[in-house]
Amino acid sequence: MTTIEQPMTFDQATRRVDHAQMFIDGRWGPASAGVTFATVDPATGRTIAAVPRADASDVDRAVAAAKRVAVEWQFTDAITRAGLLRTLAGLVTEHAEELAQLEALDSGHYLDKARELVGAIPLWLEYWAGLADKVGGRTIEVPGNKLAFTLLEPLGVTAHIVPWNYPLLILVRSTAPALALGNTCVVKPAEDTSLSALKYAELVAEAGFPDGVFNVVTGYGAEAGAALAAHPDVMGITFTGSTETGKTVAKLGAEHIAQVNLELGGKSPTIVFPDARLDDAVEGAVQGFCSHAGQVCVAGTRLFLHRDIADEFLARLVERLRVARIGDPFDEGVQMGPLVSKKQFDRVRSYIEIGKREATLFYGGGRPAGTDVDGYFVEPTVFTDVSPSDRIAREEIFGPVLSVFTWSDEDELVAAANDSDFGLFAAIWCSDITRALSTARRLQVGGVMVNDWFGELPMAPHGGYKQSGTGREEGLESIASYTQVKHVSVNLDDSPRASADWAGAPL
Ligand code: NAD
């Protein structure tokens, strides 16, 4: 088992983390340059930890470690890899409360939600542990006396660049399949939310994964993230984040022909038909744009209401928003916490100002009553009279800001819903299932929920059309994201010469 030299300590009473270290080659340590940066509690604006700021030399060390052990890990039998993932799942369950508190403190998820998210993580680890010894190639019928087949092989060193909105879940959803299928990993958490990744690395070490198989470098995107994506020994990159940064990462990966999976932004439509069960649809719409204060890639930030029910729907929506409990993630009963950072807070507030100029402010727009003035809290905000060309209707805001449209013709509805650079997800609220499914087929998105709000699961593929991404996470479809295909062909004749005229064969 790996020696744990100095994992960080977390004092839950004072909400402070001390000596946060990076995890490279089974060892804890600072950045080579000895530099750190502050990570902040978004509910209070207070610093919670100093985190190592990795540069390219730290990334080199992590990639070198992952490369050194890549072949050994590839040929470690799948049952052993699966067993380690199962041990890790048990450790996550054992340490769930600490992980949840770190996640709530660092990312602003309210504590019960953070507990739910951490509680689900073993599902991902178990799912991929179960698949580790079942993924394989196929035999191919080729002409002649030959046996042809494929091998599905790992990519080697894989990079995992993670955003701040679901820090641990997104880290696990890509590293669990990567590890199960024989890849080694270097993770770069978002600079705002490194802490749960470092705690998780401690559990990976405790589970008994060999040194170098799983590494975490903390630091800034343009520095550590870019160095990782550009590293010539990184053969697979899973990037989850904004479309803008995704384009940069794709270019960096292209320089050395890495396989790149991009899980990017969205501007998802929530579509309500006139026969929808309105109470459910209202709750779905609220979850759609307020869950994690709107900091969700699939957030339903464009609401399409059938004209016949629009007024009643909006009245019920406002009633529901008025009773939403917004506040410190650690306070009892809170349902929505702050935005993750000052940067995000300023960005969302500036979009609200843009919205006030472009459209009609129907609800919200300010700071929720009773919240800490130093925290990054924003009220759920609803705009009506929005034009499809408005910035608030087209750009991903990543905050609790909703644009409302009305419709009456289904063809026009589909055209309007598809009128977006993004294509991640859509929700349809409709009792007539034939109508719902025919709409679902016409939407240019990677996922549709009918009469349900989003719930991410390890067995269902997740990913985007258009500028929402390439490749898939989760489900059997994501096996392709972490493997490459080798074709092997064996001539079964005693002597190839006996069955072929070699002298006359084309060269
Ligand atoms: P971001 O693009 O700013 O950062 C994501 C990660 O990339 C961070 O770790 C960051 O440090 C790193 N990074 C930044 N610049 C980089 C560079 N030049 N080279 C390499 N890495 C770099 O995104 P964010 O603000 O952290 O996250 C919010 C975005 O993520 C939203 O657009 C959201 O829709 C998207 N997201 C998508 C999914 C999905 O599954 N499709 C899931 C969650 C979040």
Side-chain angles (χ1 to χ4, degrees):
M1 203 169 80
T2 308
T3 313
I4 301 173
E5 288 154 5
Q6 197 189 32
M8 67 188 191
T9 56
F10 173 35
D11 182 348
Q12 295 175 17
T14 59
R15 296 192 190 181
R16 273 232 26 124
V17 167
D18 280 321
H19 51 77
Q21 306 280 327
M22 294 192 295
F23 187 67
I24 296 177
D25 205 5
R27 300 190 177 283
W28 297 96
S32 314
V35 190
T36 61
F37 61 96
T39 192
V40 163
D41 173 358
T44 61
R46 275 186 303 143
T47 295
I48 24 179
V51 174
R53 178 175 160 181
D55 61 19
S57 69
D58 298 305
V59 170
D60 279 348
R61 287 194 291 127
V63 174
K67 187 179 177 190
R68 191 197 69 239
V69 74
V71 172
E72 179 194 326
W73 184 243
Q74 172 178 354
F75 291 106
T76 296
D77 63 62
I79 294 176
T80 304
R81 294 199 301 260
L84 289 168
L85 286 167
R86 289 200 180 94
T87 305
L88 179 57
L91 288 167
V92 168
T93 302
E94 209 177 292
H95 293 266
E97 183 59 21
E98 189 179 355
L99 283 165
Q101 294 213 10
L102 278 169
E103 199 77 319
L105 184 59
D106 209 9
S107 74
H109 278 288
Y110 61 88
L111 188 54
D112 280 347
K113 173 61 82 174
R115 286 181 177 137
E116 188 188 316
L117 291 168
V118 171
I121 279 169
L123 280 182
W124 270 259
L125 295 167
E126 304 274 2
Y127 178 81
W128 286 104
L131 276 175
D133 60 358
K134 294 167 193 69
V135 170
R138 63 187 179 97
T139 52
I140 306 166
E141 290 303 322
V142 293
N145 188 19
K146 295 180 183 185
L147 173 63
F149 57 94
T150 59
L151 297 172
L152 280 196
E153 299 188 336
L155 301 170
V157 179
T158 56
H160 304 259
I161 303 178
V162 179
W164 43 258
N165 59 342
Y166 291 86
L168 193 56
L169 184 65
I170 289 175
L171 182 165
V172 174
R173 83 179 184 188
S174 73
T175 55
L179 292 169
L181 301 175
N183 301 276
T184 57
C185 299
V186 179
V187 176
K188 211 297 282 171
E191 42 272 54
D192 290 312
T193 54
S194 309
L195 301 179
S196 57
L198 295 176
K199 180 68 200 174
Y200 184 75
E202 199 183 312
L203 304 180
V204 170
E206 196 178 332
F209 283 79
D211 292 352
V213 166
F214 182 90
N215 309 274
V216 180
V217 288
T218 51
Y220 291 122
E223 201 170 17
L228 183 57
H231 202 294
D233 291 332
V234 168
M235 300 321 299
I237 303 171
T238 297
F239 170 82
T240 310
S242 61
T243 295
E244 197 189 335
T245 311
K247 290 176 187 172
T248 305
V249 167
K251 286 179 199 149
L252 293 171
E255 282 297 318
H256 58 285
I257 317 292
Q259 178 170 309
V260 183
N261 303 312
L262 299 172
E263 301 296 333
L264 307 177
K267 192 81 191 175
S268 301
T270 296
I271 297 170
V272 186
F273 280 76
D275 68 345
R277 291 189 305 264
L278 281 201
D279 282 342
D280 292 341
V282 167
E283 190 56 32
V286 169
Q287 296 285 343
F289 85 103
C290 292
S291 186
H292 196 22
Q295 302 166 113
V296 184
C297 55
V298 294
T301 49
R302 293 184 298 145
L303 176 62
F304 292 90
L305 299 176
H306 191 276
R307 194 155 288 158
D308 291 351
I309 47 94
D311 290 342
E312 188 185 348
F313 193 99
L314 286 175
R316 291 197 202 188
L317 184 83
V318 166
E319 233 173 79
R320 173 67 181 89
L321 292 176
R322 286 217 169 93
V323 297
R325 280 161 292 173
I326 305 167
D328 187 302
F330 285 79
D331 286 352
E332 195 66 30
V334 159
Q335 299 167 311
M336 183 174 130
L339 297 174
V340 74
S341 63
K342 171 89 169 60
K343 183 175 157 208
Q344 194 60 20
F345 178 71
D346 291 343
R347 177 186 153 89
V348 172
R349 298 258 296 215
S350 81
Y351 271 106
I352 291 173
E353 292 311 310
I354 292 169
K356 285 180 188 166
R357 292 195 292 277
E358 290 180 332
T360 303
L361 178 64
F362 184 76
Y363 181 85
R367 182 180 266 285
T371 52
D372 189 327
V373 290
D374 293 323
Y376 311 131
F377 296 94
V378 173
E379 229 181 343
T381 300
V382 180
F383 287 104
T384 52
D385 302 319
V386 185
S387 152
S389 60
D390 285 345
R391 286 185 63 191
I392 56 163
R394 304 206 70 81
E395 297 173 20
E396 187 184 42
I397 298 172
F398 230 50
V401 182
L402 182 68
S403 293
V404 181
F405 304 89
T406 53
W407 64 277
S408 50
D409 174 87
E410 264 172 64
D411 290 339
E412 281 171 21
L413 161 75
V414 169
N418 285 336
D419 179 19
S420 172
D421 293 336
F422 299 105
L424 191 56
F425 175 77
I428 297 173
W429 296 88
C430 183
S431 295
D432 177 343
I433 286 302
T434 309
R435 223 171 159 193
L437 292 184
S438 89
T439 305
R441 289 195 65 187
R442 296 169 72 195
L443 294 174
Q444 296 158 352
V445 294
V448 181
M449 294 270 151
V450 177
N451 297 330
D452 202 0
W453 164 236
F454 184 71
E456 194 165 346
L457 287 165
M459 59 292 277
H462 170 74
Y465 285 15
K466 301 197 269 187
Q467 293 196 28
S468 288
T470 57
R472 287 294 175 271
E473 291 285 82
E474 299 155 341
L476 298 179
E477 290 75 4
S478 66
I479 291 167
S481 302
Y482 299 101
T483 53
Q484 52 193 340
V485 181
K486 182 180 281 175
H487 162 216
V488 181
S489 182
V490 186
N491 191 328
L492 299 176
D493 284 331
D494 285 345
S495 161
R497 273 178 181 275
S499 57
D501 179 0
W502 284 55
L507 297 176

